[in-house]
Amino acid sequence: MSAKDKFHGIVRFALEKDGWNITNDPLYIDFGQVQMRIDLGAEKLVAAEKEGERIAVEIKSFLNPSAITDFHLALGQFLNYRTALREKEPERKLYLAVDAETYNDFFTLPFLQLQIQEFQLKLVVYDTETQEIVRWIS
């Protein structure tokens, strides 16, 4: 089993502060003979008489010297997980969680913005100090 991301606990806490109920830690998806492990599964009730919104969150730290290498790995995982979720749990939306500093320093670059648009990446941006969600990007 792979290790949890450095900011796993912070993201989990921030989602809970934002009103999300963590339902899976991790969320296991079996598709064909491939087993995948997405960091978190969560749901939020929209209203008492409606079904809740369901999400999956993959957490990435971007701590290696090459942010673009980390991005390549994160993008590959994101695309694989999104395909599996589309087949196994189509009601669940997948988000990539990145810290606010990484988002502001790296994800706002023109090339990354183009990649976010082209691959329709959904992002959840969190603050490591306040342990809060600061932005949802769909």
Side-chain angles (χ1 to χ4, degrees), residues 94-106:
L94 178 62
Y95 285 85
L96 179 65
V98 297
D99 67 277
E101 184 177 343
T102 299
Y103 178 80
N104 292 331
D105 292 348
F106 184 64

Side-chain angles (χ1 to χ4, degrees), residues 40-81:
L40 295 171
E43 64 184 11
K44 184 184 246 186
L45 290 180
V46 178
E49 60 277 346
K50 291 184 179 178
E51 270 203 41
E53 184 178 356
R54 298 179 73 204
I55 62 172
V57 179
E58 180 61 22
I59 304 161
K60 292 298 171 202
S61 300
F62 289 83
L63 297 175
N64 290 316
S66 173
I68 196 68
T69 297
D70 283 344
F71 179 73
H72 291 156
L73 294 171
L75 177 61
Q77 273 186 299
F78 185 91
L79 295 175
N80 288 333
Y81 293 167

